């Protein structure tokens, strides 16, 4: 029914006792168990998966294609594909998503915005220029 891409794997792990101050840029898959004071941003040119575990805290903006949250995010979230909010997810900030899966217990303190890509219009424009 849904065309979920399950080929994303976790390439990197930030452990529970790790604290990073500054922006974090990544490609592929990343799991955060620690504390990030800065933005967490995936490369826009490839598929990406970000897992914010139950004990993780991110103080900053989060941007990735597939985002799974079961921890705390203090900042805006941008998911270009799928956003999964698990029962212990706590987000203080606006959330932008294409597809949302929110389980009972998850909490969002901010606006939820469904972002729909303008693909049909872009394809029509490209076809008319050919």
């Amino acid at each position: 029914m849904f065309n979920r891409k399950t080929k994303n794997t976790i390439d990197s792990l930030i452990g529970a006792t790790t604290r990073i101050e500054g922006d974090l840029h990544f490609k592929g898959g990343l799991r955060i168990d620690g504390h990030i004071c800065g933005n967490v941003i995936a490369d826009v040119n490839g598929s990406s998966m970000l897992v914010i575990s139950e004990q993780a805290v991110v103080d900053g903006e989060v941007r990735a294609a597939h985002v799974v949250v079961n921890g705390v995010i203090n900042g805006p979230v941008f998911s270009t594909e799928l956003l999964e909010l698990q029962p212990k997810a706590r987000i203080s900030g606006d959330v932008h998503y294409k597809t949302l899966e929110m389980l009972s217990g998850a909490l969002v303190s901010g606006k939820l915005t469904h972002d729909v890509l303008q693909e049909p219009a872009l394809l029509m424009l490209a076809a008319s220029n050919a």
Side-chain angles (χ1 to χ4, degrees):
M1 185 162 98
F2 294 104
N3 290 330
R4 284 195 187 182
K5 295 180 181 177
T6 58
K7 294 182 181 179
N8 289 334
T9 60
I10 301 300
D11 302 313
S12 302
L13 169 68
I14 296 174
T17 60
T18 302
R19 177 183 171 94
I20 296 177
E21 295 191 19
D23 293 348
L24 177 62
H25 296 266
F26 71 97
K27 290 183 180 182
L30 172 64
R31 178 185 168 107
I32 299 174
D33 291 340
H35 190 160
I36 308 294
C37 293
N39 301 324
V40 179
I41 301 172
D43 186 277
V44 295
N45 295 323
S47 67
S48 58
M49 180 174 194
L50 174 63
V51 177
I52 309 291
S53 76
E54 183 178 331
Q55 62 264 28
V57 176
V58 175
D59 293 318
E61 181 178 294
V62 170
R63 289 183 178 267
H66 183 173
V67 181
V68 179
V69 182
N70 203 24
V72 176
I73 299 175
N74 298 310
V77 177
F78 298 87
S79 173
T80 57
E81 290 299 324
L82 174 62
L83 174 61
E84 297 180 47
L85 300 180
Q86 295 181 344
K88 295 187 179 181
R90 301 290 180 264
I91 298 177
S92 297
D94 294 342
V95 175
H96 301 264
Y97 64 92
K98 181 177 177 184
T99 305
L100 175 65
E101 180 180 313
M102 187 171 183
L103 299 178
S104 178
L107 176 67
V108 175
S109 299
K111 291 189 297 185
L112 291 172
T113 304
H114 180 230
D115 292 335
V116 180
L117 296 176
Q118 301 289 331
E119 290 176 11
L122 292 175
L123 292 175
M124 287 175 45
L125 179 62
S128 67
N129 290 333

